[in-house]
Amino acid sequence: MAEPKRKDAIAGDVIHEYDGIEEADNELPTWWIVIFIGSVVFGAGYWLAFHEFHVQPSAVEALAAKEAERARRAGDVSDADLLSASKDAAAVAAGKTVFMTNCVACHGDKAEGRIGPNLTDGFWIHGGAPKAIFETVKAGVPAKGMPTWGPVLGAITVKQVVAYLLTLRNTNVSGKEPQGDAYTVP
Ligand code: HEC
C-alpha cells in the first residue's frame, strides 16, 4: 500500500519508496544549476569559437604555420650570407656536388656554358650579385629553358650551389660567349 506523500527531511516530496529506500523530488541546488548551465553555454561558445570561427589557430594549424615560416626564412638569404657561404669550404664542396649532378648538362662541367650561359664570365643576363644569382637558380627561367630549382633542391641546397658559383664568378673559363650585362663585383 502506497503511503501518503510526506515532506522529505531535506526539502521536497517523497515520490517513490521501495523497500525502505525513498526517492525525493528535491529542488536542484542553485550552485549545481549555475555550473550545469554555465558548462553548456561555455561548451557551445567554445565549439563556435574554435571549431566554427577559428578565433585562434589549432595546434596543428599553428605547427603548419611555423613550418611554412621556417621554409620562408631559409629562402631569405642576403648577399652577405651567400658570400660567407662561398668562403665556407664545406658549403662550396656540397654546392659543387649539386652542380655536377644537376647543372653540367646545360652549363658544362667547368660552368663554361653549353645550352645555358657561361657562369664564369663577368656577364649576367639576370644579374651577377649573389642574391640575384640565388633568385635565378631558385625561380629558374622556365621560358628560356632554365629549370626552377627551388622546389626541387630546397633553399639550403640552392644556397650551397650558389656558394660554389660565387667561387667561379669572373674566373673566365673559355666557353660560351658572354651574354647579358657586365657585372662588377663591388
Ligand atoms: C635544362 C638546362 C639547364 C639546366 C639543367 C640548368 N640550367 Fe641554368 N640556365 C639554363 C639556361 C637556358 C639559362 C639562360 C636563361 C635565359 O636565357 O634567361 C640558364 C641560366 C642560369 C643562370 C643565370 C645566368 C645569367 O647569366 O644570369 C644561372 C645562375 C644558372 N642557370 C644556374 C644553374 C644551376 C645552379 C643549375 C643546377 C642546379 C642550372 N642552372 C641548371 C639552362 C639550364
Side-chain angles (χ1 to χ4, degrees):
M1 253 230 301
E3 276 184 26
K5 284 189 174 174
R6 62 168 174 79
K7 273 289 186 201
D8 176 73
I10 304 168
D13 297 327
V14 170
I15 53 171
H16 294 116
E17 200 234 288
Y18 296 109
D19 300 332
I21 298 168
E22 295 177 340
E23 182 188 340
D25 187 17
N26 292 328
E27 264 174 33
L28 293 162
T30 313
W31 65 261
W32 192 93
I33 292 178
V34 166
I35 291 174
F36 176 70
I37 294 176
S39 304
V40 171
V41 170
F42 174 81
Y46 185 91
W47 171 66
L48 282 175
F50 289 93
H51 293 277
E52 294 300 319
F53 299 118
H54 300 278
V55 291
Q56 201 182 301
S58 70
V60 173
E61 289 163 344
L63 199 70
K66 221 160 137 186
E67 275 304 310
E69 172 66 10
R70 218 176 43 187
R72 199 188 60 73
R73 287 252 179 87
D76 233 9
V77 295
S78 64
D79 282 353
D81 292 336
L82 292 162
L83 284 173
S84 77
S86 76
K87 294 180 180 85
D88 172 350
V92 170
K96 183 172 183 176
T97 306
V98 175
F99 187 86
M100 291 305 165
T101 313
N102 300 288
C103 319
V104 291
C106 297
H107 290 283
D109 63 0
K110 289 183 280 302
E112 76 281 13
R114 289 175 70 177
I115 301 160
N118 187 333
L119 301 174
T120 68
D121 60 21
F123 292 82
W124 298 85
I125 304 168
H126 301 285
K131 177 86 179 166
I133 299 173
F134 179 85
E135 292 300 335
T136 307
V137 176
K138 192 171 117 187
V141 193
K144 298 284 177 61
M146 164 67 178
T148 303
W149 292 104
V152 179
L153 301 175
I156 290 163
T157 307
V158 170
K159 191 173 162 185
Q160 290 169 340
V161 77
V162 172
Y164 174 62
L165 292 184
L166 290 173
T167 67
L168 307 178
R169 209 168 45 160
N170 295 331
T171 57
N172 295 306
V173 177
S174 67
K176 200 168 185 191
E177 76 292 348
Q179 292 167 273
D181 303 321
Y183 176 81
T184 312
V185 177

